[in-house]
Amino acid sequence: MATPVLHRTEHTRVVSAPARALYGLVADVTLWPAVFGPSVHVQHLERSEDRETFEIWAQVNGNVAHWTSRRLLDPARLYVSFRQERPFAPLTSMGGGWLFRPLPDGRTEVVLRHRFSVADDAPDAVAGLLAALDHNSGEELAALARVAELGHPVEDVVFSFTDVVPLRNSPQAAYDFVNRADLWAERLPHVSRVRLTEDVPGVQHLEMDTVTADGSAHTTRSVRICRAPSWIAYKQHVLPRLLTGHSGLWTFTDGPDGPVATARHTVAIDPSAVDEIVGEGATLADARRFVRDALGRNSMTTMTHAAAHAEEPGTVPMS
């Protein structure tokens, strides 16, 4: 059997931000779906101080791909290495690393390297993967620069929050309510229009119009990963003006005090939109409260209706 050809790529960008701040953004993979455009959802399998294994769903050449990655974190060297444990076809291997080189003027050169091999080294497959790496790597480096160059601590503009609703019946019926987003315009007061497609089982594309408490309307588009009966993750691609990133996770579990539905949001705020959306003179703290209230209100409404639907006589889980 011929030795697989190892293809290598390198993408770089000089960013006007300290190397350690940039390293921190890359090292915390839980932030990726809100920061990096291609990333949809990340779920840890193992995690320690200097190494981790996680599943990741990301858009590659217009489709949602899924793989498992193992990473080594080296804060002293400002280096993160990664290797896919179960690459998605046609890959037979994929690995690489992030390197952050401090420059004398306070800026940082960010280097993102990939090395990969493809089954039978098929030319079309290699070309497609090179194109995907060029596109996604460029987007990821630009996103790092966009967040790090805002001039604010990362935790002031990228943050997460969670809401929980108890369920009286099986979590699966509540899961089904959230999974059937095509019915939300009939079931939820803040949703006026929905368009849902699911060409690949478990991968949904959702477009909807929602109305906020002040009466303003927003159109959002999301990709959702549905894993019955436990969780639904989503990534918004068309966002309200105040946000540059928004990802979320619905989970439906049996807790120590009974079944619960949980909604977790991770968002990135655009500081340039704070005065316009929140009010003149508003601070980032005001913006975080505004976003937390608006998104939390909608997700609590959805979970409350899901809980009530699960209690209706004759409700039968469909997943």
Side-chain angles (χ1 to χ4, degrees), residues 61 90 118-131:
N61 287 337
V118 172
D120 301 322
D121 205 38
D124 289 347
V126 171
L129 286 161
L130 288 172

Side-chain angles (χ1 to χ4, degrees), residues 86-107:
R86 294 193 298 274
F88 63 91
L91 286 167
T92 55
S93 70
M94 170 67 82
W98 294 84
L99 178 63
F100 304 87
R101 292 175 175 151
L103 301 177
D105 57 3
R107 298 184 300 164

Side-chain angles (χ1 to χ4, degrees), residues 133-319:
L133 287 173
D134 277 341
H135 178 268
N136 285 9
S137 298
E139 280 204 4
E140 289 171 356
L141 290 170
L144 272 183
R146 183 169 58 248
V147 173
E149 291 178 345
L150 289 173
H152 301 282
V154 169
E155 60 270 20
D156 284 356
V157 292
V158 184
F159 67 102
S160 301
F161 61 90
T162 300
D163 291 307
V164 179
V165 167
L167 302 171
R168 293 185 181 178
N169 290 341
S170 164
Q172 186 168 338
Y175 169 94
D176 287 324
F177 183 96
V178 177
N179 180 57
R180 290 300 307 270
D182 56 312
L183 302 177
W184 280 4
E186 306 165 19
R187 293 176 165 180
L188 295 175
H190 63 283
V191 177
S192 58
R193 181 187 65 88
V194 172
R195 180 176 181 271
L196 182 84
T197 59
E198 189 172 351
D199 297 330
V200 176
V203 179
Q204 298 179 345
H205 295 271
L206 173 65
E207 178 179 294
M208 66 179 181
D209 296 339
T210 60
V211 180
T212 59
D214 62 5
S216 58
H218 300 280
T219 298
T220 59
R221 294 191 187 95
S222 306
V223 59
R224 307 204 312 172
I225 311 300
C226 304
R227 291 294 180 267
S230 301
W231 56 266
I232 295 173
Y234 62 89
K235 163 72 171 278
Q236 282 194 359
H237 291 299
V238 174
L239 296 149
R241 170 77 174 90
L242 186 58
L243 301 182
T244 61
H246 177 205
S247 65
L249 177 67
W250 307 89
T251 57
F252 309 87
T253 58
D254 286 306
D257 299 318
V260 295
T262 303
R264 177 178 172 83
H265 299 266
T266 301
V267 298
I269 291 176
D270 179 0
S272 70
V274 172
D275 278 357
E276 174 190 343
I277 304 300
V278 185
E280 188 173 352
T283 65
L284 279 174
D286 295 328
R288 290 194 298 273
R289 284 191 292 269
F290 180 92
V291 170
R292 201 260 181 268
D293 289 346
L295 294 180
R297 186 183 306 113
N298 283 353
S299 59
M300 283 293 291
T301 298
T302 301
M303 289 193 296
T304 300
H305 279 72
H309 175 76
E311 294 174 16
E312 292 177 2
T315 298
V316 178
M318 294 174 287
S319 298

